[in-house]
Amino acid sequence: MTFQIGEKVVYPNQGVGIIENISSRSFGSDLEKFYLLRLGSNSMTVMIPFSNVGNVGLRKIAKAQEINRILLFLATGTCDTTGDWKNRFKENTEKMQSGNLTQAAEVLKSLLILQAEKPLSFREKRMLERARHFLVAEISIVRKVPEVTAIALLKKALGRASLALPAPY
């Protein structure tokens, strides 16, 4: 997959960023091309080798239909939660690292369901916040609305499932 300068992309588990530059560096006799990505959440820049794009899961932002499916899933979909904390955390970490929007929505919803039953651990609270931020950022960009509007869309969808989106930690 190739990207252009100025294109918005998703860097799994980090969020949405913009391709700021494409550069080359030599390592011995090898020449490697890199994307310079500036993440929107914290203005951090990341260099990603072309050869590693698939491994890190860099992808284009979602289409409007996918956002609609995500909101519908949050409102009406079901998700399984593993009872064992260690297994659940491992599964959720893998889902977040995939960069897949549907899997991030599953993490968010399953943790909100769990939170309604009992308090989350510190690490699960952080995971919930990352999933929340990831979804808000992408919905905001795809729908071309401010983040507060994206949060309202998430709250409305989750409200249909009798779940509440917590404020950021």
Side-chain angles (χ1 to χ4, degrees):
M1 186 172 290
T2 58
F3 305 101
Q4 306 299 318
I5 294 174
E7 188 171 4
K8 292 178 182 170
V9 296
V10 175
Y11 188 46
N13 215 18
Q14 299 298 321
V16 178
I18 297 175
I19 302 289
E20 283 200 335
N21 200 357
I22 298 173
S23 62
S24 300
R25 296 238 170 120
S26 58
F27 296 97
S29 63
D30 294 334
L31 186 66
E32 179 76 62
K33 285 189 162 190
F34 290 86
Y35 290 112
L36 181 64
L37 175 65
R38 179 165 308 277
L39 297 172
S41 61
N42 56 12
S43 295
M44 179 174 74
T45 56
V46 180
M47 289 183 74
I48 303 169
F50 276 34
S51 61
N52 207 25
V53 166
N55 294 340
V56 299
L58 196 66
R59 65 170 174 81
K60 295 178 185 272
I61 60 170
K63 304 266 189 250
Q65 313 90 283
E66 189 172 355
I67 297 299
N68 293 339
R69 278 195 308 274
I70 296 302
L71 293 172
L72 182 63
F73 166 76
L74 291 173
T76 62
T78 59
C79 50
D80 299 325
T81 56
T82 305
D84 179 45
W85 182 91
K86 192 189 296 186
N87 290 338
R88 180 175 62 240
F89 188 80
K90 182 178 182 270
E91 287 174 13
N92 285 342
T93 299
E94 289 169 0
K95 287 179 181 181
M96 290 301 295
Q97 288 174 342
S98 76
N100 181 299
L101 204 56
T102 303
Q103 290 186 350
E106 288 173 9
V107 170
L108 178 80
K109 189 167 186 175
S110 67
L111 288 175
L112 288 174
I113 291 168
L114 185 64
Q115 186 177 43
E117 297 170 10
K118 63 181 184 177
L120 297 178
S121 70
F122 174 75
R123 292 176 81 189
E124 285 184 314
K125 284 180 184 176
R126 283 191 17 217
M127 174 101 45
L128 174 63
E129 177 55 28
R130 276 199 312 274
R132 177 191 185 281
H133 173 75
F134 187 75
L135 290 165
V136 166
E138 196 152 357
I139 290 169
S140 173
I141 287 172
V142 172
R143 290 270 177 105
K144 296 178 175 68
V145 297
E147 285 195 359
V148 294
T149 304
I151 291 168
L153 289 169
L154 278 178
K155 284 182 176 180
K156 182 178 177 186
L158 290 166
R160 290 177 53 201
S162 300
L163 296 169
L165 184 68
Y169 293 107

